Amino acid sequence: MNTQPSEIQVLRSQLTDFLRSRHMRKTPERFAILDKAVELSAHFGVDELYNALENVGYHVSRATVYNTLELLCDAGIFNRHIFATNQARYELARGSHLHLICRRCGSIREVDDPTLTSRLLTEDYPGFAPEYSSTSVYGICADCKAKDNS
């Protein structure tokens, strides 16, 4: 993912504000995990982030990575999704969109559908205030379909 340095600073400030509001410590590990998570492509798992940190010589436990990702979700910086694999996948919180998920290869493609996401977010749900939506559509991607036809 190609992220502008200014975006990283905005996200670091968002995390700082969140930690301050919850009277939590601003540890170097939390910010290192944030920085590396932003570098990864969308829809990564805990193990992918853990391995990316290990590959650059930054050693933290998997539990620290998991707990920090959950903290980043609570802060509204990342979203957590559970797709068909039942393993949590994370992505930067960048608004609502559809996920097109191939049942064969597991690839995930994002598609914007402003009409659908707007409707989901403006629908009146008694006793509930929507913040973002995530819709998953399962099927067969073009690459897998082409393999069937060859």
Side-chain angles (χ1 to χ4, degrees), residues 42-81:
H43 310 112
F44 63 89
V46 171
D47 288 339
E48 291 165 88
L49 178 55
Y50 173 81
N51 291 333
L53 289 161
E54 285 287 320
N55 287 340
V56 295
Y58 200 90
H59 305 291
V60 292
S61 69
R62 275 186 172 78
T64 298
V65 172
Y66 174 80
N67 290 332
T68 301
L69 278 171
E70 291 303 308
L71 183 77
L72 294 171
C73 289
D74 290 344
I77 298 170
F78 279 84
N79 291 330
R80 179 174 35 91
H81 302 284

Side-chain angles (χ1 to χ4, degrees), residues 23-127:
H23 306 288
M24 298 173 81
R25 293 181 18 236
K26 297 186 320 181
T27 64
E29 292 83 5
R30 288 175 173 157
F31 289 91
I33 290 168
L34 169 64
D35 292 347
K36 186 54 72 176
V38 170
E39 287 178 23
L40 294 177
S41 61
H43 310 112
F44 63 89
V46 171
D47 288 339
E48 291 165 88
L49 178 55
Y50 173 81
N51 291 333
L53 289 161
E54 285 287 320
N55 287 340
V56 295
Y58 200 90
H59 305 291
V60 292
S61 69
R62 275 186 172 78
T64 298
V65 172
Y66 174 80
N67 290 332
T68 301
L69 278 171
E70 291 303 308
L71 183 77
L72 294 171
C73 289
D74 290 344
I77 298 170
F78 279 84
N79 291 330
R80 179 174 35 91
H81 302 284
I82 306 292
F83 297 123
T85 62
N86 291 328
Q87 292 182 336
R89 307 295 288 173
Y90 299 85
E91 68 176 339
L92 268 174
R94 295 183 189 246
S96 300
H97 51 267
L98 301 172
H99 293 103
L100 304 180
I101 304 163
C102 181
R103 292 186 305 106
R104 293 209 183 126
C105 69
S107 67
I108 303 168
R109 191 174 98 204
E110 293 182 355
V111 177
D112 289 325
D113 185 337
T115 304
L116 179 59
T117 54
S118 174
R119 179 155 189 270
L120 289 171
L121 293 175
T122 58
E123 186 70 27
D124 183 26
Y125 303 103

